[in-house]
Amino acid sequence: GAGVSQSPSNKVTEKGKDVELRCDPISGHTALYWYRQSLGQGLEFLIYFQGNSAPDKSGLPSDRFSAERTGGSVSTLTIQRTQQEDSAVYLCASSLGSWAYSNQPQHFGDGTRLSIL
Amino acid sequence: KQEVTQIPAALSVPEGENLVLNCSFTDSAIYNLQWFRQDPGKGLTSLLLIQSSQREQTSGRLNASLDKSSGRSTLYIAASQPGDSATYLCAVRSGGSNYKLTFGKGTLLTVNP
């Protein structure tokens, strides 16, 4: 597709359930990022993938959060045993890469709005 | 740790007015600074990216400036229109981590017809 695609656009689930969020980056973009936007807060970095390198997971808030990127393209963010404080908009972004393209902009999807009841 | 602050948090102006949004950051060792627009329920749209070696970038009615030494950037919007109403976010890519962005909390702009 032309842009970053995220699904679902909205997800409502009960506390304690697991959820999976999907991100399909722009074709050819080797770098992929997940961010979280909570009400009243700025965007918070979660995790970064670059090609086949080990991901930078330094922003994940707890071990209930994990992410993978299969085949260097689609990524899934998984939240296990969801809590109410996990309610937020989860945004995915992609870019042409890191070191060689540090001045390339990040392109964002429309996000997944996650609500934990 | 890089911190980004945006002032004001909200701004309401009449149509046609020129306006300035402010962004400040604490660590001047940045690769670039990016301004985004976010419409309600939508993702972020990149407006302008200023490299650390640049002073300003222009796109249409938008002009962004960067003063890296003082840790400041401004986004100037000329002849504002109701369609400019959105949240404007500033983000910096810092030298210590040249891939992830640190965001401000944004300025909510309302342009009244």
Side-chain angles (χ1 to χ4, degrees):
Chain A
V4 177
S5 177
Q6 291 188 246
S7 61
S9 55
N10 287 283
K11 177 72 176 179
V12 180
T13 192
E14 293 179 347
K15 176 182 172 181
K17 300 286 189 182
D18 297 352
V19 296
E20 273 194 1
L21 312 180
R22 176 188 167 104
C23 172
D24 198 344
I26 293 173
S27 178
H29 282 191
T30 58
L32 187 147
Y33 318 77
W34 283 97
Y35 294 87
R36 178 169 70 175
Q37 187 174 32
S38 304
L39 189 64
Q41 302 295 319
L43 273 85
E44 171 190 16
F45 167 80
L46 296 178
I47 189 169
Y48 159 76
F49 295 90
Q50 169 55 38
N52 296 320
S53 302
D56 179 345
K57 306 178 181 179
S58 61
L60 295 179
S62 78
D63 59 9
R64 296 185 295 105
F65 287 72
S66 63
E68 62 178 24
R69 189 178 184 193
T70 54
S73 181
V74 172
S75 176
T76 55
L77 176 69
T78 301
I79 309 173
Q80 296 178 309
R81 305 181 302 281
T82 52
Q83 303 293 315
Q84 287 187 332
E85 61 263 27
D86 299 334
S87 296
V89 177
Y90 290 82
L91 290 162
C92 176
S94 70
S95 69
L96 276 172
S98 180
W99 295 100
Y101 301 98
S102 59
N103 282 314
Q104 290 295 318
Q106 294 184 17
H107 299 268
F108 283 76
D110 284 344
T112 294
R113 185 174 300 277
L114 177 63
S115 299
I116 309 300
L117 303 178
Chain B
K1 177 186 175 184
Q2 179 73 270
E3 293 182 1
V4 179
T5 303
Q6 291 188 245
I7 294 174
L11 180 64
S12 181
V13 300
E15 182 177 3
E17 192 163 297
N18 302 327
L19 59 100
V20 174
L21 307 180
N22 297 290
C23 172
S24 61
F25 47 95
T26 54
D27 183 355
S28 61
I30 65 170
Y31 278 87
N32 58 52
L33 183 145
Q34 201 166 350
W35 281 95
F36 295 88
R37 168 187 174 136
Q38 186 174 32
D39 293 286
K42 296 292 186 181
L44 279 64
T45 301
S46 180
L47 298 173
L48 291 165
L49 183 148
I50 311 177
Q51 298 178 26
S52 61
S53 59
Q54 297 176 324
R55 297 283 295 181
E56 66 178 334
Q57 282 285 334
T58 298
S59 175
R61 293 183 293 107
L62 305 179
N63 176 278
S65 68
L66 174 63
D67 184 342
K68 197 174 73 165
S69 61
S70 68
R72 294 180 182 178
S73 176
T74 61
L75 179 66
Y76 174 83
I77 302 177
S80 58
Q81 303 171 358
D84 295 331
S85 298
T87 297
Y88 290 80
L89 294 159
C90 165
V92 297
R93 178 172 282 185
S94 300
S97 54
N98 69 332
Y99 42 83
K100 60 187 174 185
L101 299 175
T102 303
F103 285 84
K105 294 185 179 180
T107 294
L108 175 60
L109 173 66
T110 303
V111 181
N112 301 300

